[in-house]
Structures are given as structure tokens and as C-alpha cells.
Amino acid sequence: MDNVQPLLSALDVFARAPDKVSLENANAWLQDFQHSRDAWLTCNLLLLSPDAPPVAKLFAAQTFRSKVTYDLHQVDGANILPLRDTLITALERYHTGPRTVITQLCLAISGLALQLPQWENAVQTMIESFGTNPATVPVLLQFLTVLPEELVSNTRIPVTDEEYRDRCTKLLTANANQVLDLLSIYMQASGVTTTLQNQIFGCLRTWLIAGEVDTLVFAKLPLFGFVFEALAAEELFDSAVDVLCELIHETQEIDDNMPVIELIVPRVINLKDQLEERKEDPERIRGLAKVFAEAGETYRLLILRHTETFFPIVEAIGLCSAYPDLDIVPITFPFWMRLAQTIGKKPSVEPLFIEAYKALMGVIIRHLHFPPDTTSLAPQEADNFRSFRHVMGDTLKDCCLVLGADSCLLSAYNLITLALSRGSISWQEIEAPLFAMRSMGAEVELDDESAVPKIMDLIPSLPSHPRIRYAALLIISRYTEWINRHPDYISFQLQYISAGFEDPDTEVSAAAGQALKYLCQDCKQHLVDFLPTLDTFLKTTGSKLAQDDRRQVYEAIAFVISAMPMEKAAESLRSFSFDILSQIHAVTAKTTPITKQELKEIGYGLENLEGMLHVIGPFGDQLPAACQNSCQEVWSIFDRFISKYAFDYDTAERTTRVLRHGVTLFGQSTLQVAPSVLSCMVTSFEVTGFSAFLWIAGKLVGRFGRESDSTLRTTFVALYERSTKKIVSLLQSKAPRDVPDVLEDYVQLLLQLLEMVPDVFFLSSAFPLAFRASMAALTLIHSDLVFAALDLFRNILTHDSLFPSSSHPAKFAVYATTIKNVMEKEGFEFVGYLLSGLVGDFPEDSTSTIVSIFRSLAVLFSSQLLTWLPPVLQHLPTSAASNEVKEQFMIDVTNSVNTGQYDKVKYSILSLHRSARKARDRRRVGPLEQ
């Protein structure tokens, strides 16, 4: 009883409005309590106490369920059956409620039954205990409902596959028919309430889902007919729909279940009339749509084989698709998709299906219409509708699969021409078919000569409404591969796109940018002659465009340049880049302070240059003549610019991204400026602490690290030592969590130095500082950084120099001494970080790397490791690893080391990780949320 009052106090915290710290402390206390052996007795006392508050009783029931799942090993074998009796007694005591307590106790008994093979007749015991008294029948139904759910879904219960199969057979399969008979009796009992009938249906549904119901047996029971009868009762409708859908699903093995299907289908078809009779009741239509859609999906092969008999199901699904409530419509989409996929494989299509998909296409296009007053939509509603339009677009593709893309496109085209012929029309009547055309564009044959030319000829005559222009521009974006095969349309497309940039609507100009980008990407060979036109457009209109649109224009131009012969491409790239570089040079030469707007414009220019370089890529090993001297020229501009404006974070990010592409473009020619670039980068990092400068430095080390250049080698040493000194300084003034990006790029730089220039890495005085600074990365919840740091430590501690060989160069002995000296100093703390992360927040996939590191530690630092481990393990939280788990880990590692079986360290690490993961998963569910 000592735990009762503290337990009540902890639970009371949740009843108030506590501060965050109090809430976390109470939560941690309750979780620790749930793990303890005392919890069994304390929770039993609370359940039996009439004075315990309701929240304490619920918590006690939840704790029993949790402990049966995780901690049954704490119960002596002699007390297992008494534990079962205790739970059943508690369930009898609470048969009138609360329902939450009943549910948790039923879950606990279900989990216990799975793990207790000596309880042979668990289901029969529960039926005898609760099934004869009308007052306790709801309790039995709740148990029978959760039993299959718990056995199927609670994968945390520790049983082997063989044990699981054996117990499921005995608990579920062997009792299924008896449960069905019992449910039939209860359903027909005199005085049965709709509440109980709903509970019966809920129970039946879980047994159907678990696959334990023999449909042939079930169809002979009165319960089968009552499922359909219940569809007429408002109070039972939803439950009956759920059961019927699962029943239909269980008959998916058509040949085995044909007698049952012959009973189901006529009854389902008879429901079709209700779609008209109850059309004002969306919830009724929703339920019917679920039934028809399930029947359609399950019986689609029968629909195709016996179309006349089964086609009413297709008609009913069509009516559901046409229903105006767009929350109901998508229930039908999987059916249309799967039926279309099946039909699409057949050489011919039945006329009934052709008409069904024609009707469906018309329905979908009507659903695509924006409401007459778009301002009536709340922002979230508008976003949801736009997203749903793309879902409907996928269904239009299904129509193409059955009807043919050209036929569908012409149908949409005809809707537009018909609307235009009427004169006075709404923009929605044009926009919706245009959206449909865009959605179906992926299905168009590139050599189509019937539908797409008509669409292209139609676009110039469309009204100039911004929504229509937006949709038309996106059609051009979608059809650029077709346009590449029909280049006569390019001139017109460019005119239409150019006009789109002048539209004041920002979405229209953005669509124009996208259209130009894709047109230039897919039709670049045909657009080379248009490059002067694009240049003129950029010079006259570019400054008026929003930056996103301007960037897309530059990328579009880059695609065209990439299609030119190499020399001409180089000249064109130089020309377009010169405008941007001239702006950078001019700003750098300014003697007056730069304004924020000027710096912003320079940033835009850098973005545009980056986009061009990314598209064009490298020219190859041999640079064209136009680029021979460009590397030094460009770097001289950037060198002065960075020295002056490195203080601005966004500018630093954009500049280094351009430099990265510059290294790719100029290739080996970059070597001549690499020392200068690296010096600039490390100086800028020292001044600003921005990670971008480390990032590009790491790329240069990776690119030129193996070059035999003494100047470059000296630069690498300076980079290593100065960047490490700056990192150490940063970590003295800031917590690692405040500079994760800097740490990540620093560790990546170290990885490159270790790989490319190990002399520099190991022999520098910076190595001990770098090792210690990198350990800070292991304290963060940042997957990429943790992976990089672990890779670094693995590469250090498994380096060849640590494993003597006569073939090793003499300097390897110095490497090994350096590593060992650092580990003697940092090993204890390093091992602490590794194990804390392993049982804590390290990414799941990091375990293999930790195994490699620990194996190396066991081989190279055996005695030290066994000295480091006890205090490290002592400091690991018991919430992550229990004392028993830590003791076993220590025993296993000690045995592995003492017997020289170092490979077995792997199993010690994996076992510790597995135990910690189970504890973590358990604690992710709050003590009051189970």
C-alpha cells in the first residue's frame, strides 16, 4: 500500500492544469511505477477499493494490460492462474462499467490467454462466467470483440511464431462457430436492445476481419439475414454496413464462396433504389457507397464474366460517384481504378462499360468545377478542394485506360467548344475541362494527330480570365513532349507563355515560368534559334518578374544552351552569366554601404546563376575555348565579393552553392584556384561561423585531396587547424544543439580529410581537438549528423594503422600512437556517448556502425573498455535500460573480451539495443493513453 498515495498524487497532476515540468515528472513517475513489480499488487488493491477515484481504477486496469503485455515474466509460475482469476473477478466487479475499465481488463485477459497455454478453454471459461446472465452479456461481448483484435494487432506480446499460431488456433479458430451461434442467440433474444445489437455487430466484425468466420456456415445462420434487415434501422445502419463490407470482403475467393455470393449479391442490388429514395441523407448514401464499392471491388471479375447479372452494382457505384457530396465520391475511386486496369488488358470492351466510363468522365469533370463564388471557401477548404481535384484527375486517367486518351480528350474539348458557342459562360465551364485535359495529358500518345492538335489550336481563342489562362499554361507544360514532336506549335506557345508573364495574377506568371521551363527542357533542340528571342525577353521583361518566375526563365534558357554545340554553349553561358557577374562586381566595387535591397537582388542573381549551372552541368575533361580563362576570372570576382559580404547568411549560402557548381563546371581547371578558395572559405568561417564555408571546403578536399601539390597540402593543414580551432571556440560559447548545421559540415570535412589526406588528419595537433569536438555530435537528435559522426569514429578506430602489418608504411605507427593517445584520454566519455545514444535517440540504422566501433574497442582497448563500462552503464537511465539488462550486457561483454571472442560483442550490443527499443516503445504510450 506504500505506493497508493504517491500514485494518487501523480494521477491528480493530470486532473489539474499543471506546468510542463510537473506533467513530465508525474508522467515519468507513473511509467516507472508501471514497470515495477509492486504494480501488480497495488493495482489490484485499487481495483478492489470502493473508495479509489475513477481515474485510479482506470489506470490500474491499463497497468494490468501493460504488464500482461510486457512484464508477465515478473509473475511466478504458481501465481499465473491466480492472476487470471484476479482479472476475471475484477471484470465481474466492474460489469456495470465504466466501459473503459471493462475494455482494459478484457485486453489484459486476452493477452494473458495468448501467453497461457495451460488455460486450454479460455473462451469457454469467459462464456460460462459472463454469458448466461443478461447483466454480464455486454462484458462477454466486449471480451469476444477485443480478443481477435488483441491477438492480431498486439505484436509486442512476447510469444514465438509457433506459440502464436497454436494459441490462435485454440482461442479463435476452434471457437469461431460457437461464437457465431452465441451471437445469433443474443441477436434474437427477447428484450434485446439496439445497443446490444450494435455490440453484437461490432463483435462479429472483428471475427470477420480476423478471418475466423466460415462464410458458408455464417450464411446458414439467422444472423446473416439480420445483417441486411438491420440496414433499414437507423440505429443499426452503420454497424450493419461495417459487417456487410467485411462479409463481402471475406468472400473474395470467388470460387470457394459462390453459394454465399449468390445470396449476397441480390440483396446488395436491392439496395440500389435507396440511393434515390434517401438522397437527402448523405450519411445513408455514404454507407451504401461503402457497400456497393466493396461489392464492386470484390466481385469485379464476376462483373466482367456475367455483366448482365452484376452490372446493377456498377450502375449503383456510378450513382454514388455522381453524388454532390465530395466526401462520399472518393469511396468509389478504387473500384473504377481496378476495374479499368482489368478491362484495359482485354482485347475488346463491352458497350455497357464504355457507357459507364463515359458517364463517369462527365461526372468527374462536373465535380472539378470551382464553386460560382470561390470566396465562399475558407482557405483550408480551398486547399482541400485543389488537392482533391488531383485525386479526381487520377480517375480521369482510368477513363483513358478504358475509352482511349484521344476519345477522352475530345470529349473535354467538345465541352469547351460547346460552352464557347453559347456566348455568356462562367470561367468554371472552361477551366474544369482544361484541368481534365491536363490530368489526362500523361496518357497521350506523342504521335497523336486527332485530339491534341485541336486542343493546341483552341488555346489562343480561350477567354483571358486568369484561371483559364493558368489552366491553359499548365496544359502547355504537360504537353511539351508532344510539342517536341510537333515543333510548328513552338512559336505560338512562346507567344502565349510570354503573355502569361505579363498577367498581374502571380499564379498565372508562375505557370508561365513552369511552361517555359518544360518547353525549353523537352524542345531544346528546336529552341536554339529562339535563344536571341529569349535573351531579349529576359532583358526587357526579366526585371519585372517575381524571382521564382525569373529563376525558371534562366533555367529554361540553360536547357536550350545545353542543346547547343559545346563552343557555342560555352559562349552563350558566358554571355548570360556575365550580366549576373557584372552586378556582383559592381556591388563589390561600391564605396558606399550596400542596401538590403541591393544585397537581395544580388542573392536573386546568384540563385539564377546556380539554376543555370545546375542544368548545364560539366563540359567534360576539355574546357571549350570560351571557358579556358574563365575560372580565374570568375574566382577573382567572387573572392572580393565574399571577403566583403560573407557576413550575410543567405548570401553565403547562395554563393557557396554557385561555387559548388563552378567546381563541377570547370573540373580540373579549378585546381589552380583551389588554395585561394580554401583560404577564403576558412577565413570566412572564422569570421562568421557559417557552415556553408565548411561545406564547400569539404567538397574541394574531396575533389582535390589526392593531388600532389605542396601549396594545396599546406592549405589543407591550415584549413584543418583553423576550422577546428573555430569549432572548439563555438562549442565553448554555444550548445551543440544550437549549431547542428555547423557540426555536420565540420564532421563531413573531417571525413574527407581522413579519406584523402590521412597525414594531415592524424599528424596535426588538431586531431585530439577534432576528435573531442566531433563527440558533441553524438549528443544531438539529428540523424544525418549522428550517422556522419559515427562513420568518422568507425573510420578512425578501424583504420589499418591500428592492426600491425609488415606491409604498412612507417608512418602508420605514428597514426596508431596518435589514435591510442586520444582514446586513452577520451575513451570513457566516448563510450558513454555511444551507449547513451544506442539506448536513447540514435537512428535505428546506426546500430551496425556502433557494433563495428565496439568490436574495435574490445580488440584494441580490452582492459580499458571493461574499466569504462561499469560507471557508464550505471549512468544510463533505468527507463531506457533496466538494471537487469545492464548487468547482462556487462557480463556478456566481459565474457567476449576475456575469451577473445570479440565477434560476440555484436550480440551484446544488439541485445542491449533491442531491450532499450522495447522500453522506448512502451514509454511512447503515456500511462493514461493505453
Side-chain angles (χ1 to χ4, degrees):
M1 289 293 290
D2 292 344
N3 281 321
V4 171
Q5 192 53 52
L7 173 59
L8 295 177
S9 298
L11 290 170
D12 185 58
V13 171
F14 290 86
R16 296 183 271 108
D19 59 274
K20 184 179 179 182
V21 173
S22 298
L23 199 63
E24 289 176 349
N25 289 338
N27 188 64
W29 191 95
L30 290 172
Q31 287 188 329
D32 288 340
F33 167 78
Q34 282 189 324
H35 290 210
S36 70
R37 292 178 181 272
D38 294 339
W40 296 102
L41 179 59
T42 303
C43 289
N44 189 40
L45 291 172
L46 283 172
L47 280 176
L48 297 177
S49 172
D51 299 325
V55 67
K57 294 177 179 179
L58 174 58
F59 176 75
Q62 289 172 327
T63 299
F64 268 122
R65 190 268 176 114
S66 175
K67 295 195 76 63
V68 164
T69 298
Y70 296 104
D71 300 329
L72 199 58
H73 63 274
Q74 294 177 348
V75 181
D76 293 336
N79 292 323
I80 287 285
L81 291 179
L83 170 62
R84 174 201 65 184
D85 297 337
T86 296
L87 293 173
I88 293 175
T89 300
L91 196 55
E92 291 170 347
R93 187 185 188 97
Y94 286 91
H95 74 271
T96 58
R99 184 178 176 84
T100 51
V101 172
I102 293 173
T103 299
Q104 292 299 318
L105 290 173
C106 288
L107 287 167
I109 294 170
S110 299
L112 185 62
L114 178 59
Q115 300 175 77
L116 203 56
Q118 58 265 49
W119 190 10
E120 289 283 351
N121 55 349
V123 172
Q124 187 60 40
T125 300
M126 296 299 290
I127 291 173
E128 292 171 357
S129 299
F130 298 95
T132 56
N133 182 351
T136 59
V137 164
V139 173
L140 173 63
L141 289 174
Q142 185 63 17
F143 168 75
L144 293 176
T145 299
V146 304
L147 177 65
E149 290 178 336
E150 186 72 350
L151 266 56
V152 170
S153 64
N154 191 353
T155 56
R156 295 164 295 182
I157 297 176
V159 292
T160 66
D161 290 346
E162 184 178 351
E163 290 169 340
Y164 176 78
R165 287 191 294 269
D166 179 64
R167 291 302 291 162
C168 278
T169 299
K170 291 177 179 176
L171 290 169
L172 300 180
T173 309
N175 292 294
N177 289 345
Q178 182 184 6
V179 169
L180 290 179
D181 290 337
L182 195 66
L183 295 181
S184 293
I185 292 169
Y186 290 153
M187 187 65 81
Q188 299 173 87
S190 60
V192 64
T193 63
T194 55
T195 301
L196 192 68
Q197 289 174 325
N198 275 315
Q199 198 176 358
I200 292 167
F201 278 144
C203 180
L204 173 58
R205 181 171 177 265
T206 64
W207 284 74
L208 282 165
I209 292 173
E212 296 295 341
V213 174
D214 184 332
T215 57
L216 295 173
V217 172
F218 178 67
K220 297 175 183 177
L221 297 174
L223 199 54
F224 175 84
F226 194 79
V227 171
F228 290 93
E229 294 171 17
L231 293 170
E234 294 292 337
E235 301 90 344
L236 300 176
F237 179 77
D238 291 337
S239 297
V241 164
D242 291 340
V243 169
L244 182 52
C245 287
E246 296 301 337
L247 174 61
I248 292 170
H249 186 74
E250 278 301 296
T251 61
Q252 59 187 302
E253 298 295 336
I254 292 173
D255 293 336
D256 295 338
N257 290 284
M258 205 61 210
V260 183
I261 294 172
E262 289 172 352
L263 295 174
I264 291 174
V265 169
R267 289 170 167 81
V268 169
I269 291 174
N270 286 340
L271 299 171
K272 180 184 169 187
D273 291 343
Q274 291 190 30
L275 293 172
E276 176 62 28
E277 296 166 1
R278 305 297 297 270
K279 63 182 179 182
E280 302 301 325
D281 183 352
E283 291 309 309
R284 172 71 58 154
I285 301 300
R286 184 192 307 277
L288 293 172
K290 290 178 182 178
V291 171
F292 286 121
E294 186 63 54
E297 289 183 57
T298 304
Y299 304 142
R300 67 182 182 279
L301 293 180
L302 290 173
I303 290 172
L304 293 171
R305 291 176 195 165
H306 310 285
T307 303
E308 186 175 339
T309 301
F310 286 84
F311 196 75
I313 294 176
V314 179
E315 293 175 326
I317 296 172
L319 293 173
C320 296
S321 298
Y323 196 70
D325 188 331
L326 295 186
D327 287 333
I328 293 173
V329 171
I331 294 171
T332 66
F333 288 171
F335 163 74
W336 294 116
M337 177 190 69
R338 293 188 176 98
L339 183 64
Q341 290 171 344
T342 307
I343 290 175
K345 298 173 184 176
K346 293 184 174 295
S348 61
V349 183
E350 286 271 354
L352 284 173
F353 294 119
I354 290 176
E355 293 306 315
Y357 275 93
K358 282 183 179 179
L360 176 65
M361 188 175 65
V363 161
I364 295 298
I365 293 177
R366 285 198 298 277
H367 286 323
L368 288 172
H369 282 64
F370 276 97
D373 179 14
T374 54
T375 60
S376 64
L377 294 175
Q380 187 59 53
E381 289 177 322
D383 288 343
N384 292 343
F385 180 64
R386 289 191 182 97
S387 298
F388 183 56
R389 295 179 97 212
H390 291 285
V391 176
M392 290 191 283
D394 290 338
T395 301
L396 288 173
K397 295 174 188 175
D398 300 330
C399 294
C400 291
L401 197 57
V402 176
L403 304 175
D406 55 345
S407 174
C408 293
L409 287 172
L410 286 172
S411 295
Y413 169 84
N414 291 334
L415 288 173
I416 295 174
T417 55
L418 180 63
L420 291 173
S421 69
R422 294 203 308 270
S424 179
I425 54 171
S426 67
W427 64 265
Q428 289 90 339
E429 292 179 83
I430 305 298
E431 192 276 342
L434 287 175
F435 183 93
M437 291 175 178
R438 173 187 163 201
S439 297
M440 295 184 287
E443 309 302 316
V444 169
E445 296 290 339
L446 297 184
D447 57 358
D448 178 85
E449 299 291 347
S450 58
V452 182
K454 291 184 177 181
I455 294 170
M456 293 298 148
D457 293 337
L458 175 67
I459 288 178
S461 63
L462 294 174
S464 59
H465 190 283
R467 294 299 87 206
I468 294 175
R469 185 176 289 276
Y470 173 81
L473 285 165
L474 292 182
I475 285 179
I476 294 174
S477 298
R478 173 67 79 175
Y479 287 75
T480 49
E481 291 182 354
W482 182 90
I483 295 169
N484 183 47
R485 297 278 189 93
H486 303 77
D488 292 345
Y489 286 93
I490 288 177
S491 180
F492 143 69
Q493 308 290 9
L494 283 175
Q495 293 175 24
Y496 194 83
I497 291 169
S498 177
F501 281 114
E502 298 173 5
D503 196 295
D505 189 297
T506 56
E507 288 190 350
V508 174
S509 58
Q514 181 176 321
L516 182 62
K517 178 180 174 180
Y518 284 116
L519 186 70
C520 291
Q521 178 177 336
D522 292 331
C523 309
K524 54 190 175 186
Q525 299 287 350
H526 303 296
L527 282 163
V528 171
D529 293 338
F530 287 88
L531 193 60
T533 305
L534 293 171
D535 186 21
T536 302
F537 170 78
L538 194 57
K539 285 181 167 61
T540 57
T541 310
S543 60
K544 304 174 187 176
L545 300 178
Q547 169 54 17
D548 286 345
D549 303 335
R550 197 185 315 164
R551 186 185 67 252
Q552 293 208 82
V553 173
Y554 272 99
E555 290 175 355
I557 289 170
F559 280 116
V560 178
I561 292 174
S562 70
M564 301 172 72
M566 187 179 294
E567 289 294 340
K568 289 188 176 181
E571 292 171 4
S572 297
L573 175 61
R574 184 182 178 91
S575 174
F576 281 99
S577 302
F578 181 77
D579 294 339
I580 298 172
L581 294 172
S582 297
Q583 296 170 19
I584 295 173
H585 177 72
V587 164
T588 307
K590 279 189 64 171
T591 55
T592 56
I594 192 171
T595 66
K596 287 185 177 180
Q597 185 57 38
E598 287 176 318
L599 195 58
K600 191 175 183 180
E601 287 297 326
I602 291 297
Y604 290 159
L606 290 167
E607 277 188 5
N608 298 334
L609 183 55
E610 179 194 358
M612 292 189 73
L613 294 175
H614 174 71
V615 169
I616 292 172
F619 282 115
D621 295 335
Q622 186 64 39
L623 285 176
C627 294
Q628 290 291 340
N629 300 317
S630 297
C631 185
Q632 289 176 309
E633 294 172 0
V634 171
W635 172 242
S636 66
I637 294 172
F638 275 108
D639 191 9
R640 291 190 292 272
F641 175 72
I642 293 169
S643 299
K644 195 168 184 179
Y645 297 113
F647 63 84
D648 182 75
Y649 180 82
D650 289 337
T651 301
E653 287 285 321
R654 288 164 176 160
T655 304
T656 50
R657 290 201 301 268
V658 170
L659 292 179
R660 177 71 182 92
H661 288 296
V663 172
T664 302
L665 176 72
F666 292 114
Q668 196 64 18
S669 297
T670 313
L671 180 59
Q672 58 192 322
V673 299
S676 175
V677 176
L678 286 168
S679 296
C680 178
M681 293 302 104
V682 73
T683 299
S684 300
F685 175 64
E686 288 175 320
V687 172
T688 65
F690 293 159
S691 64
F693 298 116
L694 289 180
W695 173 74
I696 192 64
K699 298 298 182 185
L700 284 166
V701 173
R703 180 70 174 78
F704 300 112
R706 300 194 191 281
E707 297 290 337
S708 55
D709 183 306
S710 59
T711 303
L712 191 59
R713 184 61 59 98
T714 302
T715 308
F716 288 155
V717 173
L719 167 67
Y720 183 25
E721 294 178 353
R722 290 167 64 186
S723 63
T724 298
K725 184 178 179 181
K726 177 64 177 179
I727 286 287
V728 171
S729 174
L730 274 176
L731 292 175
Q732 288 172 347
S733 59
K734 294 184 178 181
R737 66 175 177 274
D738 297 328
V739 287
D741 54 336
V742 179
L743 276 174
E744 182 175 359
D745 286 318
Y746 175 68
V747 171
Q748 292 289 356
L749 171 62
L750 295 183
L751 280 166
Q752 293 297 337
L753 289 167
L754 171 56
E755 173 69 19
M756 296 294 175
V757 281
D759 284 5
V760 171
F761 184 76
F762 287 121
L763 301 182
S764 168
S765 59
F767 175 64
L769 297 173
F771 190 98
R772 181 163 186 80
S774 299
M775 288 198 300
L778 301 179
T779 66
L780 300 181
I781 305 174
H782 192 293
S783 294
D784 290 342
L785 174 53
V786 170
F787 278 126
L790 289 173
D791 284 344
L792 175 66
F793 291 124
R794 178 188 57 193
N795 294 351
I796 292 171
L797 293 169
T798 60
H799 194 270
D800 288 346
S801 63
L802 292 168
F803 304 92
S805 169
S806 58
S807 62
H808 286 169
K811 60 186 177 182
F812 268 32
V814 183
Y815 293 179
T817 300
T818 303
I819 296 170
K820 289 176 180 177
N821 289 340
V822 169
M823 281 305 299
E824 288 287 348
K825 182 180 179 182
E826 306 292 351
F828 170 70
E829 195 169 344
F830 175 65
V831 169
Y833 285 138
L834 277 185
L835 290 185
S836 293
L838 179 72
V839 304
D841 297 307
F842 277 2
E844 285 295 318
D845 293 341
S846 65
T847 312
S848 61
T849 308
I850 297 171
V851 167
S852 298
I853 293 171
F854 251 85
R855 187 191 183 284
S856 186
L857 291 175
V859 173
L860 300 168
F861 304 95
S862 301
S863 59
Q864 296 97 320
L865 180 61
L866 296 183
T867 303
W868 294 331
L869 278 178
V872 165
L873 291 170
Q874 186 177 355
H875 283 88
L876 293 182
T878 54
S879 59
S882 66
N883 290 329
E884 294 93 331
V885 168
K886 290 189 278 190
E887 289 170 7
Q888 188 61 50
F889 176 77
M890 188 68 212
I891 291 170
D892 292 342
V893 173
T894 302
N895 288 338
S896 299
V897 170
N898 289 340
T899 60
Q901 295 177 299
Y902 301 113
D903 287 341
K904 288 190 175 180
V905 169
K906 169 183 177 180
Y907 303 109
S908 305
I909 293 290
L910 294 179
S911 178
L912 177 62
H913 177 249
R914 188 162 49 247
S915 298
R917 185 176 58 192
K918 286 181 179 179
R920 186 164 59 248
D921 290 345
R922 182 176 181 179
R923 285 177 178 270
R924 279 176 181 155
V925 181
L928 299 180
E929 297 172 1
Q930 297 175 49

